[in-house]
């Protein structure tokens, strides 16, 4: 941010009003006042007002300013023995497809879907907004499993099975296809020998009318939690991750499916952006449960227990979902969080709390770690290539420093 959004906005607003008052009143007094000395004084005030208006508008309209941060890193902390840059494309050939319900109004998940998937019933947990029901032609009793997959193509020296990375978008306008914004990650991962799956959950996002997800049949869960605004939605996002993995398991076992024996579900990573950064943590916890702890008689979990080894959060939220009123405790998984210093959506690195509540036990047979990175000049939205440079609504977004986005 240039100056702390709310405070900066209030200050600039006051400055602009005072400048207008000086400018307009100065002109009026110069025109109608008879005394020369008074006219000179008001001419001076008019100039001050005019300069003030120009400066405020200039400050509002520019992209931002340069901000240099000097960081001294001890030599012993530099990475060693890196044989290649993990951020560049690898040597695997890869291709792309979409899967979906087959009757979605978006053709890539409807008539052009390569694999048809069933719908799932989440009516126990959520109710969709009326706008999203009309726009997507779905309801909470029959939600689609839609998504995009980038996967390696088998070659003589490159054969599966391949580990899986799930890519999940966060909350954004439901009328925009947020899952498309991670193609750059999907192609990079596929080229390195991963099956990358970007899940469509746009029907869970906020509608243009600002109506959002409501409680389903488990509305009594609210008695446990006071700040449970996004809880049902986050649970739904998490369950859809696990239901997607269940579909991958089915494909992997079908001899006639292109993914037959190609998917390694013992090595699964989850990437979540924004609100999905919290949903992936919930999914990892649900993956080990047999029922929803808040409502054990109403929601059961079957056939999960996937090998989720790593969680990667980008600008993740925290405590939208608190089981039985308590912060979520995770165990024995690698967890990494990244957050932009210029994040204009979240006011702080909230995901650090998820790292704090991660426990490593003696029961784990694998090496795990937890870490976080705070990135200078990174904002919230541009980790998704389609969300744009500005994290806030038009107008307020002009108070953000986006000079180097």
């Amino acid at each position: 941010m240039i100056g702390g959004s709310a405070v900066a906005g209030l200050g600039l607003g006051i400055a602009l009003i005072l400048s207008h008052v000086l400018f307009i009143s100065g002109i009026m007094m110069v025109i109608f006042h008879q005394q020369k000395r008074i006219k000179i004084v008001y001419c001076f005030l008019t100039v001050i007002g005019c300069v003030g208006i120009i400066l405020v508008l200039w400050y509002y309209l520019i992209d931002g300013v340069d901000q240099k941060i000097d960081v001294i890193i001890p030599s012993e902390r530099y990475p060693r023995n890196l044989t290649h840059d993990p951020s560049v494309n690898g040597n695997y050939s890869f291709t792309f497809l979409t899967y979906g319900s087959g009757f979605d109004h978006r053709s890539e998940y409807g008539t052009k879907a390569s694999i048809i998937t069933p719908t799932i019933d989440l009516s126990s947990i959520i109710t969709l907004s009326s706008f999203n029901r009309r726009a997507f032609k779905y309801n909470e009793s029959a939600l689609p499993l839609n998504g995009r997959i980038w996967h390696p193509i088998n070659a003589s020296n490159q054969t599966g099975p391949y580990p899986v990375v799930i890519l999940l978008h966060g909350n954004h306008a439901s009328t925009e296809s947020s899952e498309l914004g991670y193609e750059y990650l999907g192609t990079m991962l596929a080229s390195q020998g991963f099956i990358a799956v970007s899940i469509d959950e746009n029907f869970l996002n906020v509608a243009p009318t600002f109506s959002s997800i409501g409680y389903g049949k488990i509305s009594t869960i609210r008695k446990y939690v006071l700040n449970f605004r996004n809880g049902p939605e986050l649970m739904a996002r998490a369950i859809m991750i696990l239901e997607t993995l269940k579909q991958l398991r089915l494909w992997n076992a079908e001899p006639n499916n292109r993914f037959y024996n190609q998917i390694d579900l013992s090595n699964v990573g989850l990437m979540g952006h924004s609100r999905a950064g919290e949903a992936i943590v919930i999914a990892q916890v649900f993956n080990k449960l047999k029922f929803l702890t808040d409502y054990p008689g109403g929601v059961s979990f079957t056939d999960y227990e996937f090998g989720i080894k790593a969680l990667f959060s980008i600008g993740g939220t925290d405590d939208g979902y608190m089981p039985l009123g308590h912060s979520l405790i995770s165990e024995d998984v690698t967890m990494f969080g990244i957050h932009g210093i210029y994040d204009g959506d979240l006011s702080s690195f909230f995901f650090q709390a998820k790292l704090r509540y991660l426990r490593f036990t003696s029961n784990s047979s694998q090496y795990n770690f937890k870490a976080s990175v705070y990135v200078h000049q990174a904002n919230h939205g541009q980790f998704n290539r389609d969300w744009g440079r500005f994290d806030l609504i038009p107008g307020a977004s002009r108070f953000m420093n986006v000079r180097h986005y």
Side-chain angles (χ1 to χ4, degrees), residues 82-271:
L82 286 180
T83 58
H84 67 283
D85 183 350
S87 67
V88 300
N89 282 358
N91 297 320
Y92 285 79
S93 300
F94 61 89
T95 187
F96 161 81
L97 63 85
T98 61
Y99 63 91
S101 64
F103 54 86
D104 198 290
H105 72 278
R106 296 163 293 177
S107 61
E108 63 267 36
Y109 305 131
T111 57
K112 295 182 180 179
S114 297
I115 302 177
I116 303 302
T117 52
T119 58
I120 61 172
D121 182 0
L122 292 182
S123 59
S124 293
I125 297 173
I126 61 169
T127 56
L128 291 185
S129 68
S130 56
F131 179 93
N132 285 353
R133 284 188 185 185
R134 293 192 302 270
F136 292 95
K137 304 296 190 296
Y138 291 112
N139 61 55
E140 56 275 3
S141 298
L143 292 174
L145 295 174
N146 298 336
R148 313 172 79 79
I149 301 179
W150 297 266
H151 64 94
I153 301 173
N154 281 343
S156 57
N157 61 339
Q158 299 171 342
T159 59
Y162 304 103
V164 177
V165 179
I166 299 293
L167 311 173
L168 186 62
H169 64 81
N171 189 47
H172 195 63
S174 64
T175 51
E176 299 182 24
S177 298
S178 293
E179 78 280 10
L180 305 182
Y182 306 111
E183 181 178 6
Y184 72 102
L185 290 176
T187 55
M188 183 268 289
L189 289 167
S191 74
Q192 294 185 359
F194 294 87
I195 295 176
V197 184
S198 184
I199 299 177
D200 161 39
E201 294 189 1
N202 293 292
F203 40 82
L204 298 180
N205 284 353
V206 66
T209 57
F210 295 103
S211 56
S212 56
I213 296 295
Y215 289 93
K217 299 172 184 176
I218 60 171
S219 58
T220 53
I221 199 173
R222 279 182 286 186
K223 68 183 180 183
Y224 296 117
V225 185
L226 297 179
N227 60 338
F228 197 57
R229 294 178 298 111
N230 301 322
E233 174 201 322
L234 287 167
M235 286 191 290
R237 290 181 186 273
I239 291 172
M240 293 200 71
I241 293 173
L242 298 173
E243 290 295 322
T244 297
L245 289 172
K246 189 186 291 187
Q247 285 299 304
L248 296 181
R249 177 190 282 157
L250 291 174
W251 301 344
N252 194 53
E254 295 174 349
N256 295 326
N257 194 291
R258 71 176 69 196
F259 291 109
Y260 178 60
N261 285 341
Q262 295 298 302
I263 305 174
D264 182 5
L265 289 168
S266 66
N267 286 296
V268 176
L270 307 180
M271 186 287 290

Side-chain angles (χ1 to χ4, degrees), residues 19-29 46:
S19 297
H20 270 93
V21 169
L22 287 175
F23 181 70
I24 295 173
S25 61
I27 291 177
M28 296 297 292
M29 295 303 292
T46 301

Side-chain angles (χ1 to χ4, degrees), residues 312-324:
F312 177 44
S313 168
I314 302 175
T317 58
D318 177 55
D319 280 349
Y321 168 58
M322 301 176 67
L324 301 179

Side-chain angles (χ1 to χ4, degrees), residues 65 73 176 292:
V65 296
I73 303 176
E176 299 182 24
L292 183 63

